[in-house]
Amino acid sequence: MANKFAIITGASTGIGFELATLAAKNGYDILVAADEPLIDAAAADFKQFGTDVQSVQADLSTIEGVDQLLAAAGGRQIDVLCANAGHGLGHAFLDQDLADWRKVVDLNVIGTAYTLQKVLKQMVARNDGKVLVTGSIAGYIPGSFQAVYNGTKAFVDNFVSAIQNEIKDADGVTLTNLMPGPVETEFFARGGMLDTDVGTDPKKSDPADVAKDGWDALMAGKASIVSGWKNKLQVATANVTPNAVLAERHRKMAEPGTAKN
């Protein structure tokens, strides 16, 4: 009998790499994707677990890139999707180039939504499948000096909850939102945030721990999981704290020049 099949996006490093590792360890054939050549080296690492591994370098901020990814599945039934690809951008919004902040919106919002629409439609039709989306606790916080990223994660967190309700009659399909806080990945270097307090904080979460939380929640069919007790507390307080206060707190973490020596 063929192994079940999982697709993991943003799998070259960080949370996505750890999710792909867990999928392969648990006997899934996997298709991994990222927008950089490093994805092929990552795929070679996943092969140690003895399942079939494919990799595709695709720009998932574009419709064409998502179509390229799904075409690489070769018509195979997708049992698990980990929609983890995402991008952040630091510094003041007014100083950002259009192409840079639009890439964040296109990847985190358009790419995520289109991937989910294509994959979930098939899962709901057969009433079977599991999807994990990497949202963020950032979606609950006005992100001064990270405004576009936090805004896109607010979309993701809200969007996932809405789709969960829309497909609730397909009881064989589960959709789970993984919401970490700051994680020790290349995210901050790529987003130009190594001059910030949050970017240099040595106490960020371990991506392996975050991925394990997400994978366990996915397998259990949970609606959402906030990874880390401090992040759970932050989400709880965000619901009762004025936005102006939250934005000022975020400023102290994300404003350029706040990195501690």
Side-chain angles (χ1 to χ4, degrees), residues 80-253:
V80 165
L81 167 68
C82 295
N84 171 75
H87 180 55
L89 188 63
H91 296 262
F93 172 67
L94 297 184
D95 296 333
Q96 293 170 356
D97 291 336
L98 168 61
D100 292 337
W101 65 258
R102 180 173 175 176
K103 180 68 174 282
V104 176
V105 174
D106 287 344
L107 179 58
N108 297 4
V109 175
I110 306 301
T112 298
Y114 181 55
T115 304
L116 261 62
Q117 185 180 51
K118 297 289 283 188
V119 174
L120 275 172
K121 186 173 291 188
Q122 298 174 4
M123 289 182 173
V124 169
R126 66 175 188 268
N127 196 28
D128 181 61
K130 294 181 178 295
V131 174
L132 179 71
V133 179
T134 302
S136 176
I137 67 167
Y140 290 83
I141 305 167
S144 306
F145 297 93
Q146 217 174 336
V148 173
Y149 174 78
N150 285 39
T152 63
K153 289 303 182 178
F155 170 86
V156 171
D157 293 343
N158 187 288
F159 178 76
V160 170
S161 294
I163 304 308
Q164 286 169 341
N165 180 266
E166 289 188 15
I167 66 171
K168 67 179 183 178
D169 292 335
D171 56 3
V173 180
T174 61
L175 174 58
T176 303
N177 188 13
L178 169 61
M179 293 181 284
V183 184
E184 190 60 68
T185 69
E186 290 76 9
F187 174 90
F188 297 96
R190 292 173 177 172
M193 298 184 66
L194 294 183
D195 58 349
T196 67
D197 178 60
V198 66
T200 55
D201 184 357
K203 297 181 180 179
K204 294 190 284 291
S205 298
D206 185 323
D209 294 337
V210 175
K212 183 66 164 56
D213 286 344
W215 184 263
D216 289 347
L218 172 70
M219 291 297 107
K222 293 183 178 179
S224 63
I225 176 71
V226 177
S227 181
W229 69 267
K230 289 183 179 179
N231 297 323
K232 289 181 172 66
L233 180 62
Q234 195 166 353
V235 168
T237 58
N239 290 323
V240 295
T241 305
N243 278 346
V245 174
L246 293 173
E248 184 62 26
R249 287 179 184 171
H250 199 280
R251 181 188 190 110
K252 292 175 180 177
M253 296 190 303

